[in-house]
Amino acid sequence: MVEQPSRGRIVAPYGRWEPATPAQVAALFSAMPCRWWIAGGYAIELAVGHRVRGHGDIDVMMLRPDQLHLHDALRGWECWAADPPGVLRRWEPAEVLPPSVHDIWCRPGPGEPWRVQVMLDETNGEDWVSRRDPAIRRPLADIGTTGPGGVPCLAPEIQLFYKAKNPRRKDEIDLLAVLPLLDAARRRWLSEALSHCFGSHPWQDRLA
């Protein structure tokens, strides 16, 4: 593992991370009868097509209505829900998580390292709806791209939107890596989303 991220918001004992690779995630998730996307820093790398930086975890985005499919894909694994404001608890197969829970940590068994973090996002009909601001939405067919090996990944401008709230050094690295690949439409969407949520944002000058 190259980088261990800060996990200060989680107050329960949680153990170490050994993130799965995008190819390993695809092997686990490809049988699910629903949509999913690699998210986080790996989504940026898949868009760029090469390694950008080290990663302490790997994020996968799913839609909230599809959450129970995760137990089938990870049969035999432990799944833990991150309850706000920061308590990690077992998520049982029959439980439908409340709207306040967005993050699920997954590992093959007790004492094993965490391998995958799943984030639940919202929908309205055939639209993706940002959990950060329900006014930010796009057709579901337009929120993802396909990375090397056919791995589905979140569109880079949407991932950058989520990273923009409190940009860290790694978020700035991701922005610089993928910015040259964003066409005018993707830059415009991100700039408008940032303007709607934050008024002004330091990334907007670089998107112009």
Side-chain angles (χ1 to χ4, degrees), residues 33-137:
C34 62
R35 290 169 280 206
W36 59 273
W37 304 263
I38 297 288
Y42 273 110
I44 299 297
E45 286 194 358
L46 289 170
V48 172
H50 61 77
R51 184 178 174 86
V52 172
R53 57 174 175 81
H55 300 276
D57 61 4
I58 187 167
D59 301 318
V60 178
M61 193 181 89
M62 291 180 61
L63 303 176
R64 185 170 297 279
D66 298 327
Q67 60 182 273
L68 295 182
H69 291 304
L70 182 60
H71 284 293
D72 293 330
L74 301 181
R75 193 173 298 278
W77 284 44
E78 288 187 355
C79 296
W80 291 62
D83 265 337
V87 176
L88 204 61
R89 64 171 178 84
R90 285 290 293 267
W91 176 40
E92 301 300 335
E95 178 190 2
V96 175
L97 294 171
S100 59
V101 174
H102 301 289
D103 294 325
I104 305 164
W105 289 25
C106 308
R107 62 185 179 184
E112 296 290 327
W114 302 105
R115 304 303 309 279
V116 180
Q117 179 174 348
V118 174
M119 302 179 299
L120 299 179
D121 258 33
E122 313 303 326
T123 61
N124 185 343
E126 285 301 307
D127 285 346
W128 160 80
V129 179
S130 169
R131 64 181 183 274
R132 181 163 295 161
D133 185 332
I136 306 296
R137 57 182 62 202

Side-chain angles (χ1 to χ4, degrees), residues 7 49 53 59 200-202:
R7 292 286 171 183
R53 57 174 175 81
D59 301 318
S200 90
H201 190 280

